[in-house]
Amino acid sequence: DADVTQTPRNRITKTGKRIMLECSQTKGHDRMYWYRQDPGLGLRLIYYSFDVKDINKGEISDGYSVSRQAQAKFSLSLESAIPNQTALYFCATSGQPSYNEQFFGPGTRLTVL
Amino acid sequence: KQEVTQIPAALSVPEGENLVLNCSFTDSAIYNLQWFRQDPGKGLTSLLLIQSSQREQTSGRLNASLDKSSGRSTLYIAASQPGDSATYLCAVRQDGQNFVFGPGTRLSVLP
């Protein structure tokens, strides 16, 4: 089984709809991250969480919110989706002892019409 | 603010060739640098991690080097195979900070 899973894998929605993307991990890591990937721009950090009670904004948090329901679960919400939020979304984790590496989920392809 | 660039954006080579992918970063005070592979429709797979105190790391046909002072890293792929076709991304981490990613190099190895 995959260590980092994301649901759904693909989603098509309409402008103005509320969308939630979910991420679960079995690696026992305390840090979790949400990124979006756009062609030619690489991955950009949306939000990150160092533990259940610690949530931080990343580079491009406007229009997004997150919830860390448990150490293993980190959800990303788009309260009112807009077309320029069409992108590939990745969840990642890192953990002890040194947080040197990040481990990624398979991604969610989101299309906002 | 740390910025990471990768050249070239895309590369096409015949099978068997040795090739080099480049990664540059603007702030040399990094903690480590990680190379990833991304297959279409899939997540990122870590290939090599180089700590700031290291000059290179090797895994099979892959060799990554790091020159902190010049803000550069290279990923060398020996004897390329069609299965190496993917997008390769580098990411740097500064101590206590999160990771900053480059835009990637899309590699095609032709049989």
Side-chain angles (χ1 to χ4, degrees), chain A residues 1-64:
Chain A
D1 289 340
D3 294 319
V4 185
T5 57
Q6 293 182 233
T7 57
R9 294 294 313 279
N10 289 282
R11 182 72 184 268
I12 298 174
T13 191
K14 295 182 179 180
T15 296
K17 294 291 188 181
R18 184 178 187 273
I19 297 296
M20 178 180 285
L21 309 183
E22 299 185 338
C23 176
S24 295
Q25 52 111 351
T26 58
K27 299 186 75 66
H29 287 170
D30 47 352
R31 296 185 180 182
M32 298 186 73
Y33 308 78
W34 275 106
Y35 293 92
R36 65 176 279 175
Q37 185 179 37
D38 298 277
L41 292 180
L43 276 72
R44 292 181 291 166
L45 184 62
I46 306 173
Y47 269 96
Y48 61 101
S49 169
F50 283 177
D51 65 40
V52 174
K53 297 181 180 180
D54 181 62
I55 304 289
N56 303 281
K57 293 182 177 181
E59 179 186 353
I60 53 164
S61 60
D62 287 348
Y64 301 94

Side-chain angles (χ1 to χ4, degrees), chain B residues 16-78:
Chain B
E17 273 203 8
N18 303 323
L19 58 99
V20 174
L21 307 181
N22 297 292
C23 172
S24 297
F25 44 95
T26 54
D27 185 346
S28 62
I30 64 169
Y31 191 67
N32 62 41
L33 183 145
Q34 194 168 1
W35 280 95
F36 294 89
R37 169 186 173 134
Q38 182 179 17
D39 293 285
K42 296 187 178 180
L44 280 68
T45 302
S46 179
L47 297 173
L48 290 164
L49 172 70
I50 310 178
Q51 301 294 349
S52 62
S53 59
Q54 298 175 320
R55 298 283 294 186
E56 64 179 314
Q57 282 284 344
T58 298
S59 176
R61 294 182 294 108
L62 305 181
N63 176 276
S65 67
L66 175 63
D67 184 345
K68 268 183 50 178
S69 61
S70 65
R72 295 179 62 183
S73 176
T74 60
L75 179 66
Y76 175 82
I77 302 178

